[in-house]
Amino acid sequence: QRPIHRLLSCPGTVAADLRREEQTSGNVETGSADRLVQKRFSEVQKERREQAQRTVLINCPNKISEKKFLKYLSQHGPINNHFFYESFGLHAVVEFCQKESVASLQDATYTPGLGAEAAIPFRSRFFSVKLKTAENQPSERSNVCCTNQSPPTSRKIFELLCYAESIDDQLNTLLKAFQLTEENTKLRYLTCSLVEDIAAAYFPFCAIKPFGSSVNSFGKLGCDLDMFLDLDETRRLHAQKTSGNFLMEFQVKSVSSERIATQKILSVIGECLDHFGPGCVGVQKILNARCPLVRFSHQASGFQCDLTTNNRIALKTSELLYMYGALDSRVRALVFSIRCWARAHSLTSSIPGAWITNFSLTMMVIFFLQRRSPPILPSLDYLQTLADPEDECIIEGHNCTFTGDLNKIKPSGNTETLELLLKEFFEYFGNFAFNKSSINIRQGKEQNKPESSPLHIQNPFEISLNISKNVNQSQLQKFVELARESAWILQQEDKDRPSPSRNQPWGLAALLLPSVSNSKFLDKKRRKKPASERIKNLLDSIKGSNTENSRNTNGK
Ligand code: CTP
Ligand code: MG
């Protein structure tokens, strides 16, 4: 009997520390997870945000003595922890024990004189440290140890996978190599917190919260940073507190729709980031999208950021995915492998267009795991039945209620291996009736398609929306062909290869590398197509990418 596959906690969350302890004490495979109280999504967010507010980001000279640097900073208060990384130069993330230390450091910091250029004096928590005199410099490059913030190279992945012991081991190895590290997660919350300081110039009580794959436990190193500007935070916290027969309201300006209000708010924040935000470059205001957003690069952290407001539902979706990711350790391993597989075969892309998105793929894996017998994951409707009154959540008329308490959900009795699940996933979707069925994780069953988009995946909360409306027929067809091919390759491996070979790609590696037979097979097929058809497909996807630009950010 295999141990129960419950995840101890999500790496990249506060509880990651606990998980690491479990791993070092060798308990990870024993199902000892059940002994740990798993944290709610809201608790994790609260702790991380508070941690980020005590943290500063510092650009350092390459030659820096770590010891002297830390001693210098400790003048402002005790340091809880710190790490270094490279992104356009050496940077340090330093977390103080107390928030007051940040103010003390800011009081001891100067706005630089820039010679011919003029500095805009902006007191942020992003600093540069300079060495006062040359003689203080250590003679050679310091030995600061940099943490890695980038995804592993294909070569590295290939090596890791070929040396794994089984296909199950390969899937877990891939997960470990790509998942967000503790440091990367800290940097994501810190970046939101720095942007919050800028937005606070207009809205002093706002909160900027990460959502999407940065927090839903399905983020890969290098994924974008989705940010939600929450202007309701204070209202929700204090509205109920007053007594007496009066209700106080602020005098406000009004505009004709919620959408226009959102556009106006994002427009000024975009300007502010562009003009005054240290390290914020390439600011684009994409205000006519279905869900308006400001996109920019945060150079010092290396993150591509998408800032939105007025989409609280997406935050709830992130919480739901976090729950699913934490319920069973097989979920994340399978999602990461499917995402890597899709990326390797260009089924997904960083450019918006008629492609399947990572978000859609995650929903497909969750749905597939709901369809196993016995199910590995419960339906959203079931999670709703477990909700307490405090979980109740209605957003813009949509019922977003479900339990936030992971410990209420019984572990699945299903003991299928990852190897089997991977094969079955490809078979399941290689034969799925996409033409008539919709993927519905709320009910955990396929439903009749309500409209004619090639791929229909119901948004779990805004049930009239299709999260994969952007996907065109040829992209879906490509997905199906590759899924069938991959199922076939895994079956052949079963027959042909008695033991894994270290020199040749096998198992998951055979599915990921472009040299696999299936891509040759598909290339041949592609070449057979007349050029006109290939060009038509290309035009379709470009057309798709224009009209679907807004769709792609839908729900954000
Ligand atoms: N979202 C949505 N409906 C869509 C697209 C996105 O509700 N059609 C929400 C989801 O909560 C999603 C989040 O917006 O997680 C961020 O979208 P995106 O960045 O596209 O996906 P991620 O899940 O963050 O995945 P990736 O790692 O590819 O960024
Ligand atoms: Mg994202």
Side-chain angles (χ1 to χ4, degrees):
Q1 183 81 19
R2 285 171 62 87
I4 295 164
H5 300 265
R6 288 205 89 179
L7 186 68
L8 300 170
S9 58
C10 287
T13 67
V14 172
D17 308 348
L18 290 170
R19 184 170 192 263
R20 224 156 270 151
E21 276 166 29
E22 287 284 340
Q23 277 173 337
T24 44
S25 64
N27 277 341
V28 77
E29 290 298 334
T30 63
S32 55
D34 295 322
R35 283 191 272 114
L36 279 179
V37 178
Q38 303 205 42
K39 283 201 175 148
R40 281 174 180 253
F41 180 76
S42 54
E43 288 174 290
V44 175
Q45 286 250 333
K46 201 170 153 222
E47 280 184 35
R48 287 283 187 195
R49 279 173 42 75
E50 190 275 325
Q51 196 176 56
Q53 283 162 0
R54 290 183 273 117
T55 305
V56 297
L57 180 59
I58 307 178
N59 177 257
C60 305
N62 275 338
K63 293 178 179 179
I64 193 162
S65 148
E66 183 168 358
K67 218 170 130 194
K68 284 184 187 161
F69 173 65
L70 292 176
K71 192 167 166 225
Y72 175 77
L73 289 175
S74 314
Q75 296 176 79
H76 302 284
I79 292 167
N80 209 21
N81 61 59
H82 74 284
F83 64 89
F84 290 93
Y85 68 93
E86 294 266 2
S87 168
F88 296 96
L90 182 66
H91 288 82
V93 170
V94 180
E95 181 195 319
F96 286 102
C97 296
Q98 293 136 8
K99 213 174 157 181
E100 295 73 49
S101 306
V102 176
S104 163
L105 175 60
Q106 280 172 324
D107 284 344
T109 301
Y110 300 90
T111 301
L114 296 178
E117 293 176 4
I120 295 174
F122 185 78
R123 283 170 64 113
S124 73
R125 277 179 289 139
F126 178 21
F127 306 90
S128 283
V129 66
K130 301 265 152 59
L131 297 161
K132 264 190 199 157
T133 50
E135 70 226 84
N136 276 348
Q137 292 183 18
S139 51
E140 54 199 64
R141 209 204 131 105
S142 62
N143 56 354
V144 297
C145 175
C146 279
T147 55
N148 174 43
Q149 309 296 332
S150 319
T153 60
S154 314
R155 196 189 168 83
K156 176 88 189 148
I157 286 299
F158 172 79
E159 274 171 26
L160 286 171
L161 294 185
C162 284
Y163 279 89
E165 302 204 324
S166 61
I167 295 188
D168 276 44
D169 191 20
Q170 285 186 322
L171 269 83
N172 284 318
T173 300
L174 195 79
L175 170 66
K176 277 193 208 130
F178 273 107
Q179 71 189 1
L180 302 185
T181 58
E182 168 66 11
E183 290 81 15
N184 194 266
T185 301
K186 276 195 172 152
L187 193 54
R188 284 172 190 268
Y189 277 88
L190 174 60
T191 306
C192 286
S193 182
L194 296 176
V195 173
E196 185 176 291
D197 288 353
I198 297 169
Y202 287 97
F203 303 103
F205 300 106
C206 73
I208 295 218
K209 301 175 175 173
F211 72 100
S213 60
S214 299
V215 297
N216 67 17
S217 82
F218 296 106
K220 284 199 311 194
L221 283 171
C223 70
D224 69 352
L225 174 54
D226 302 295
M227 299 175 172
F228 168 61
L229 168 65
D230 191 351
L231 298 171
D232 257 0
E233 178 85 350
T234 14
R235 195 179 69 199
R236 288 187 303 128
L237 287 179
H238 301 294
Q240 315 285 324
K241 284 195 181 160
T242 51
S243 58
N245 207 18
F246 293 99
L247 193 64
M248 295 297 281
E249 282 183 352
F250 286 109
Q251 277 284 345
V252 289
K253 282 205 167 185
S254 58
V255 286
S256 55
S257 71
E258 199 66 50
R259 180 174 168 83
I260 294 176
T262 300
Q263 288 170 330
K264 282 187 182 282
I265 292 164
L266 285 178
S267 177
V268 293
I269 306 266
E271 290 290 312
C272 203
L273 286 171
D274 196 14
H275 294 309
F276 310 131
C280 300
V281 298
V283 180
Q284 280 174 279
K285 296 195 262 179
I286 309 174
L287 302 179
N288 286 326
R290 186 179 178 281
C291 184
L293 75 147
V294 173
R295 179 166 288 172
F296 61 97
S297 293
H298 191 261
Q299 217 167 28
S301 62
F303 296 131
Q304 171 78 24
C305 306
D306 276 355
L307 174 67
T308 56
T309 185
N310 194 30
N311 64 341
R312 194 172 294 284
I313 292 183
L315 207 66
K316 220 47 204 171
T317 310
S318 302
E319 177 175 355
L320 179 65
L321 294 192
Y322 167 88
M323 296 276 298
Y324 278 128
L327 279 175
D328 187 294
S329 64
R330 288 168 291 184
V331 183
R332 296 176 62 244
L334 197 58
V335 168
F336 273 69
S337 293
I338 297 297
R339 283 184 170 206
C340 286
W341 166 84
R343 191 73 190 87
H345 296 287
S346 308
L347 283 169
T348 51
S349 162
S350 52
I351 309 159
W355 296 272
I356 293 183
T357 60
N358 282 327
F359 178 51
S360 297
L361 287 170
T362 308
M363 298 300 249
M364 288 168 98
V365 175
I366 290 170
F367 182 73
F368 163 74
L369 295 174
Q370 291 175 332
R371 301 300 295 147
R372 302 306 296 162
S373 176
I376 293 178
L377 289 176
S379 68
L380 174 53
D381 278 342
Y382 176 72
L383 295 181
Q384 195 172 324
T385 64
L386 298 180
D388 290 325
E390 69 187 75
D391 294 315
E392 191 181 317
C393 174
I394 311 283
I395 305 171
E396 294 156 20
H398 302 285
N399 191 347
C400 304
T401 305
F402 60 90
T403 180
D405 185 356
L406 286 155
N407 301 300
K408 274 191 169 183
I409 306 155
K410 279 209 213 92
S412 162
N414 181 311
T415 56
E416 287 169 316
T417 62
L418 281 169
E419 175 176 357
L420 180 78
L421 291 171
L422 184 66
K423 249 186 252 172
E424 296 274 322
F425 175 89
F426 290 132
E427 262 188 48
Y428 183 78
F429 284 113
N431 296 301
F432 191 83
F434 288 107
N435 56 340
K436 58 175 210 284
S437 299
S438 158
I439 291 166
N440 184 313
I441 68 155
R442 177 165 275 282
Q443 300 184 25
K445 290 193 194 98
E446 51 252 53
Q447 301 294 308
N448 287 336
K449 244 171 38 174
E451 37 116 337
S452 62
S453 314
L455 176 61
H456 195 280
I457 305 174
Q458 190 194 56
N459 183 307
F461 299 120
E462 289 178 89
I463 57 176
S464 64
L465 295 181
N466 170 13
I467 63 157
S468 52
K469 199 174 172 145
N470 62 308
V471 177
N472 68 14
Q473 187 61 43
S474 76
Q475 286 301 315
L476 178 65
Q477 193 54 36
K478 187 173 159 192
F479 170 84
V480 170
E481 278 176 31
L482 279 160
R484 287 183 186 165
E485 266 296 300
S486 300
W488 184 79
I489 290 174
L490 287 174
Q491 262 163 23
Q492 295 312 303
E493 290 231 343
D494 261 358
K495 289 187 207 142
D496 302 347
R497 208 185 302 275
S499 64
S501 151
R502 303 239 179 277
N503 305 322
Q504 273 182 37
W506 61 276
L508 183 58
L511 301 182
L512 292 186
L513 291 173
S515 60
V516 296
S517 59
N518 65 345
S519 63
K520 277 185 219 140
F521 164 86
L522 286 173
D523 271 356
K524 250 185 251 157
K525 278 187 84 173
R526 240 173 261 140
R527 260 183 260 125
K528 268 191 222 156
K529 278 189 189 168
S532 59
E533 197 183 326
R534 269 187 283 134
I535 291 164
K536 185 176 162 292
N537 285 347
L538 187 67
L539 288 175
D540 275 354
S541 28
I542 293 168
K543 232 191 285 162
S545 90
N546 289 338
T547 49
E548 299 303 343
N549 236 341
S550 52
R551 264 294 344 154
N552 212 277
T553 48
N554 165 34
K556 282 195 179 182

